[in-house]
């Protein structure tokens, strides 16, 4: 490939994956990786688990070793924010001043945490979790017997609750819905997770909202819409994310729940590509656009975008997949479902050993598994192939999941 300049905006997991793939695939031009955080790209899954609990050093979370970038001839601009992509002049403008000319640019800016829009959110001791710096702030609050209130019980709330309990803290959660993680996993699976957390001593307030955070300088209590006052030493909010799209705001790139890209990671503007959880990407398997906020997607989508930038792209059809470890339970999910699907349970919800299949028009479009990793991998294959599956066979534990297709 002739010497050209490719710029990756966002030293995220998706950005790091794209950079490495460009070199692996033979790109010999100038390659610049710009990222707002001062650290090299790292993986976030340990931040709510092993790293938060002090079981794993930060270095283990690095996507590539420190010397990788120089060795690969990747110019890094860490701790530098990109202000905007200007497609008319094909430049990236940096906040600190300076411009980088590009031939192609990949936007991999990821997401940012939503703030809890309540009085007192600015108080000391009100924390959230996205970066390693955030994780360090939570770690600094950790001591056995202290009491944390978590606002929201999505992935962050559920994983942080488990980690803090494992470290001997008192934990209460305030969650809008009736069960944790219902948006992604459905009510039935969410209820099982709630039981697991209850068994581990998490105090749960479901169907409730945080209405205010109270304290003079530091947070001392959480007020709920239902009129409860929950005393606390600190608060962790985990109320979802929004894609970071400002960098293309003036570039007339189509944005709708993320930067819209086709199955080759192309945005609506020539030479601008996007990958990872900042994108709403058209997914051929589900026949619609989806936005996926998980680790595996960042790696795969970043790599796919890199190949596409080199003109070697193939339609991105990867089945979304993620896991979440909470206490000694392993939860996994694959596919994409909307909540309107037929649900088929294989195994036992009560025994906490199951795969739940979500079927749309007789085809498996998603599956969630608790402590059944191997069957989940097989379910992924069913999602990928998309043939009609027989609910009775899926349910029957005597039937190999490699063969539940209708005759
Ligand atoms: P999330 O999983 O989307 O959960 C958001 C939670 O916030 C839900 O419980 C939701 O409740 C609640 N919520 C939303 N708005 C609220 C409000 N105004 N007041 C109170 N509660 C509100 O997001 P997250 O837990 O913040 O996680 C952040 C990101 O990290 C996500 O992209 C997530 O996928 C990712 N992550 C992934 C993993 C993993 O894959 N294992 C682990 C950690 C984090 P309702 O459902 O009731 O609306």
């Amino acid at each position: 490939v002739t010497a050209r300049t490719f710029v990756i905006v966002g030293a995220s997991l998706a950005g790091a994956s794209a950079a490495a793939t460009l070199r692996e695939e033979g790109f010999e031009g100038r390659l610049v990786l710009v990222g707002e955080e001062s650290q090299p790209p790292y993986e976030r899954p340990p931040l709510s688990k092993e790293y938060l609990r002090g079981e794993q050093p930060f270095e283990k979370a690095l996507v590539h070793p420190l010397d990788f970038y120089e060795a690969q001839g990747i110019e890094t601009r860490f701790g530098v924010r990109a202000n905007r992509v200007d497609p008319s002049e094909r430049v990236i403008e940096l906040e600190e001043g300076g411009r980088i000319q590009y031939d192609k640019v990949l936007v991999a800016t990821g997401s940012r945490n939503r703030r809890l829009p309540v009085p007192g959110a600015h108080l000391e001791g009100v924390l959230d979790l996205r970066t390693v710096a955030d994780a360090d702030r939570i770690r600094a609050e950790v001591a056995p017997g202290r009491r944390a209130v978590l606002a929201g019980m999505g992935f962050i709330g559920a994983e942080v609750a488990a980690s803090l309990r494992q470290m001997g803290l008192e934990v209460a959660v305030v969650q809008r819905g009736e069960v944790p993680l219902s948006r992604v996993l459905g009510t039935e699976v969410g209820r099982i997770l709630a039981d697991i957390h209850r068994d581990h001593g998490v105090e749960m307030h479901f169907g409730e909202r945080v209405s205010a955070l109270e304290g003079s300088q530091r947070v001392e209590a959480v007020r709920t819409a239902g009129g409860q006052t929950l005393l606390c030493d600190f608060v962790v909010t985990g109320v979802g994310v929004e894609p970071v799209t400002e960098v293309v705001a003036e570039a007339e790139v189509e944005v709708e729940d993320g930067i819209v890209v086709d199955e080759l990671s192309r945005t609506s503007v020539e030479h601008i590509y996007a990958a990872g959880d900042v994108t709403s990407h058209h997914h051929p398997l589900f026949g619609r656009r989806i936005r996926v906020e998980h680790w595996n997607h960042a790696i795969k989508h970043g790599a796919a975008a890199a190949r596409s930038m080199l003109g070697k792209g193939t339609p991105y059809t990867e089945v979304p997949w993620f896991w979440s470890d909470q206490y000694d339970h392993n939860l996994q999910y694959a596919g994409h479902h909307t909540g309107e699907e037929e649900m088929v349970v294989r195994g036992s919800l009560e025994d906490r050993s199951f795969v739940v299949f979500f079927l749309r028009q007789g085809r498996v479009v998603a599956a969630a598994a608790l402590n059944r990793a191997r069957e989940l991998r097989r379910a992924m294959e069913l999602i990928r192939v998309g043939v009609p599956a027989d609910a009775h066979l899926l349910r029957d534990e005597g039937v190999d999941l490699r063969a539940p297709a209708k005759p």
Side-chain angles (χ1 to χ4, degrees), residues 49 114 116-117 130 152-157 159 175-177 182-183 238-241 293-294 322-324:
K49 301 184 275 286
R114 282 199 216 114
L116 199 59
R130 178 149 197 97
M153 202 174 195
F155 285 100
I156 290 292
E159 292 187 359
Q175 154 74 5
R176 241 173 12 176
S182 58
R183 183 175 61 93
V239 293
V241 298
E293 301 173 2
H294 299 279
F322 64 81
W323 84 98
S324 176

Side-chain angles (χ1 to χ4, degrees), residues 74-87:
I74 299 168
E75 283 177 47
T76 57
R77 309 292 294 271
F78 300 145
V80 174
R81 194 183 142 84
N83 270 350
R84 68 181 196 119
V85 177
D86 176 355

Side-chain angles (χ1 to χ4, degrees), residues 277-295:
D277 58 348
V278 74
T279 67
S280 174
H281 60 286
H282 178 76
H283 201 301
L285 270 187
F286 308 108
R288 55 186 300 238
R289 285 205 310 255
I290 60 174
R291 190 162 61 76
V292 180
E293 301 173 2
H294 299 279
W295 174 86

Side-chain angles (χ1 to χ4, degrees), residues 100-264:
I100 308 172
Q101 197 81 38
Y102 70 83
D103 292 293
K104 292 187 182 180
V105 58
L106 176 70
V107 180
T109 41
S111 304
R112 70 166 60 86
N113 288 349
R114 282 199 216 114
R115 301 278 159 205
L116 199 59
V118 299
H122 63 281
L123 288 170
E124 266 175 42
V126 178
L127 308 172
D128 66 346
L129 178 53
R130 178 149 197 97
T131 65
V132 63
D134 296 333
D136 289 338
R137 277 187 281 272
I138 298 175
R139 281 175 72 167
E141 298 285 348
V142 166
R146 296 194 91 211
R147 185 171 147 89
V149 174
L150 311 187
M153 202 174 195
F155 285 100
I156 290 292
E159 292 187 359
V160 171
S163 287
L164 294 181
R165 285 300 293 145
Q166 285 168 291
M167 289 187 284
L169 283 82
E170 299 294 319
V171 177
V173 295
V174 178
Q175 154 74 5
R176 241 173 12 176
E178 291 304 323
V179 295
L181 287 160
S182 58
R183 183 175 61 93
V184 191
L185 300 173
T187 314
E188 290 77 2
V189 178
R191 192 163 294 130
I192 303 303
L193 283 174
D195 291 344
I196 290 172
H197 283 276
R198 196 170 291 115
D199 288 354
H200 283 87
V202 175
E203 175 188 313
M204 280 174 287
H205 303 271
F206 291 145
E208 262 281 33
R209 268 186 316 109
V210 172
S211 57
L213 303 167
E214 296 177 340
S216 45
Q217 194 175 349
R218 255 195 86 85
V219 66
E220 289 161 17
V222 172
R223 291 273 297 175
T224 70
Q228 303 185 74
T229 300
L230 309 175
L231 297 178
C232 62
D233 294 305
F234 67 100
V235 168
V236 181
T237 67
V239 293
V241 298
E242 55 192 25
V244 177
T245 60
E246 305 85 76
V247 76
V248 294
E250 293 165 36
E252 291 184 19
V253 165
E254 188 187 353
V255 174
E256 194 190 329
D257 186 33
I259 298 176
V260 173
V261 294
D262 65 8
E263 59 271 32
L264 293 174

